[in-house]
Structure formats: C-alpha cells, structure tokens
Amino acid sequence: MNFQPRMENRIEGFSVMGGLRRRYWNGITADLWDVECASYAGGHYTARDPRLFILLDQRGRGRSNVKLSPKSSGTPQDGHSPISYIPADMDLWVDFADVQYVRHLDIHFDADVLVQRLSEEIDPKKLQNPQLLFFDQQVMTLAELIATELASSAPLNDLYGDSLALALLIDVLKLEKTSPRRRSTLAGWQLRRATDFISENCTRNIRLQELAELTRMSQSHFSHSFKASTGLAPHEWQMRTRLEKAKELLSLDTQPLTEIAAETGFSDQAHFTKVFRKHLGTTPARWRKARQS
C-alpha cells in the first residue's frame, strides 16, 4: 500500500497550475507543485508525518517567510535558503508577498519505514529537530532530479526515484552509519529455557513471540541475544534440532521416509529431502544407507 501523507492546511491566494504531480515510493511520497500566487498568499500547515519543503523556482520581486509560530517574524527566504525540514506534528506558517509564481517539491515520509529500510539506530532527535531555510547544493541537485522525474510523462523505473528520494533524506537528516552495538548474550536460565522449548516443540511452527515471553525479553532483544549466545538465529537452531531428531529416527531403520518427514514437521518427503540435502549435503536415504554400512 502506498504511503499517504496526512496533512491539514488552511491556505489562501494560491492557484495550482497543471495539477499535482505525485509519485509513491517505499514509505515516501513526493509532490511537485507549480503555483500562481495572488499579491498575498499564505497558509498554515500541520502534518502527522515529517516532510521536506524545497523551493525550486520563484518569480516576482517579493519574498516568502517560513515560520513555526504565527507570532514569530520568520526569516525572509531568498535564493540561498530554499530548503526546510519540518518534523511531524509541527505547525508551519508560510507567507508570500509580491510573488507571482513558485515551484516547490514536497517530500513526505514514514519515519518508521525509513528506520527499517536503513536498518540503523537513528537518533530520534534528528527527526524531531526542525531545519528552516537552509541551502545545500547536493540536496538541491537531488531535488531537481526528483522534480524532473515527477514532471516526466515517461518516468523511469521506480528504483531510480526511490533511490534519489532516500539519498536526499539521508543527506538532509545527516543520517550517519552507526557503529554496531555488541549484543549481550542470554543468561544461563534463559538459554536453557529457550533451547528446551525448541527441542520439545521443534516439529511445529514456533513463534518468536513465544520464545521472547519465555525469557522475559522483547522479540528483537531475544533474537539478537540468542544468536550472540549460540551463533545461530532461533529458526536456524530449530531446524538443526529437527534434523537431529530426523537422524535419530533414520538410525533406527524402522520407519519409511514419508513417516519420518511427517513426524519431524516437514510438509512431505520431497520437502524433507530438500532441507536434509541443503544442510547435510546428502539425502536422507543415502545418509541412512551410509549409516548402516
């Protein structure tokens, strides 16, 4: 599902030219606006998601103000301060006086999706601190490329626009790569409780939530700590346990492979054979035969 910006506004004096040009990417929505302005035009905007406002072009002798409080004077905007970052749930007032036309790019994004995509621990302050009226040549270059893509009647592959928008957000928010944290291991009782539970239930689908609740941890913390303790992710440990159980049954040479597959939680013999070969380098039948020899 496309990310839909959630914004409320009260505006006057604006007339949109040519309609809105909008593109959706992964957790990002980009809007390109060409707007005619009355002698005075302005508005109040509040959005539930963070966004970027980038002024690409402006015609007229006047200037524009961007401010976070209706009582503040704002800062006159000129050709060297076209970029503003506005955090979620922050009110913004924009005033245009004696400006006939503006073209601007709006980038709205889902902060949770951004964090997941980057797989980094982003400092929340970077998302909460507004940045009004600044200039950055690299950001402007990216913004112009995004605007060209939005205006195109034959846009390129979505990966192109998505990559540009993601690079722009990383640049504006200064999202530096963090040093990986060393994860703590599980306590002895937590490891025993988790591995015993997996052994007892290895033939069914074990939810990560079950293991986290057993060890009184969050799912993310448990998953990282389990791997730090065992060298394997929980699902990998479960698969190893199932295969050990299968090897025990194969050693007895009393059951057909179809029954062993069902008893160890595989959907059928073909699935059992495929997984067994992947992890052990041979089929169950050959493993059993070599064991007998």
Side-chain angles (χ1 to χ4, degrees), residues 40-239:
Y40 168 80
H44 166 231
Y45 304 82
T46 303
R48 295 177 60 188
D49 303 287
R51 64 202 187 280
L52 276 168
F53 171 88
I54 303 174
L55 183 64
L56 300 172
D57 192 14
Q58 176 177 309
R59 299 173 195 164
R61 294 178 298 175
R63 290 185 175 182
S64 57
N65 281 347
V66 175
K67 51 193 177 182
L68 298 177
S69 167
K71 297 181 180 180
S72 65
S73 61
T75 303
Q77 191 177 76
D78 56 34
H80 297 290
S81 55
I83 309 166
S84 291
Y85 167 68
I86 306 96
D89 299 315
M90 186 168 287
D91 293 332
L92 183 75
W93 279 262
V94 178
D95 299 306
F96 293 85
D98 297 321
V99 174
Q100 286 77 52
Y101 162 85
V102 295
R103 165 175 273 207
H104 64 90
L105 176 69
D106 295 344
I107 304 288
H108 308 258
F109 66 95
D110 185 320
D112 291 336
V113 173
L114 180 67
V115 171
Q116 292 171 6
R117 291 187 65 185
L118 297 176
S119 300
E120 299 290 342
E121 296 178 3
I122 295 175
D123 183 354
K125 292 181 181 178
K126 291 183 179 292
L127 298 177
Q128 296 167 3
N129 290 337
Q131 302 178 54
L132 296 186
L133 304 175
F134 67 96
F135 176 81
D136 184 297
Q137 184 58 61
Q138 184 164 296
V139 171
M140 291 304 300
T141 300
L142 291 168
E144 291 286 359
L145 290 171
I146 294 170
T148 299
E149 181 71 359
L150 291 175
S152 174
S153 60
L156 298 174
N157 188 286
D158 277 349
L159 183 61
Y160 174 72
D162 178 66
S163 299
L164 291 174
L166 186 61
L168 185 148
L169 292 173
I170 291 172
D171 197 314
V172 169
L173 297 173
K174 306 304 178 190
L175 300 178
E176 300 173 352
K177 186 175 180 62
T178 57
S179 300
R181 293 189 307 173
R182 184 176 180 179
R183 298 286 181 173
S184 59
T185 58
L186 295 172
W189 70 270
Q190 291 173 314
L191 182 59
R192 286 192 301 274
R193 183 173 290 185
T195 53
D196 287 349
F197 185 85
I198 292 173
S199 295
E200 294 167 5
N201 299 274
C202 67
T203 59
R204 69 169 177 84
N205 181 35
I206 300 175
R207 293 178 295 114
L208 184 61
Q209 180 182 352
E210 295 178 89
L211 297 169
E213 290 175 352
L214 277 174
T215 52
R216 303 172 191 171
M217 304 172 74
S218 70
Q219 294 183 42
S220 175
H221 192 185
F222 169 79
S223 181
H224 285 98
S225 296
F226 187 91
K227 188 165 186 177
S229 299
T230 65
L232 298 173
H235 71 275
E236 294 172 330
W237 184 274
Q238 181 183 358
M239 182 57 68

Side-chain angles (χ1 to χ4, degrees), residues 30-41:
D31 296 337
L32 179 64
W33 301 89
D34 288 287
V35 182
E36 285 185 330
C37 306
S39 58
Y40 168 80

Side-chain angles (χ1 to χ4, degrees), residues 250-267:
L250 288 168
S251 298
L252 297 176
D253 195 25
T254 57
Q255 289 180 276
L257 296 181
T258 52
E259 292 184 9
I260 294 177
E263 190 170 337
T264 51
F266 295 96
S267 56

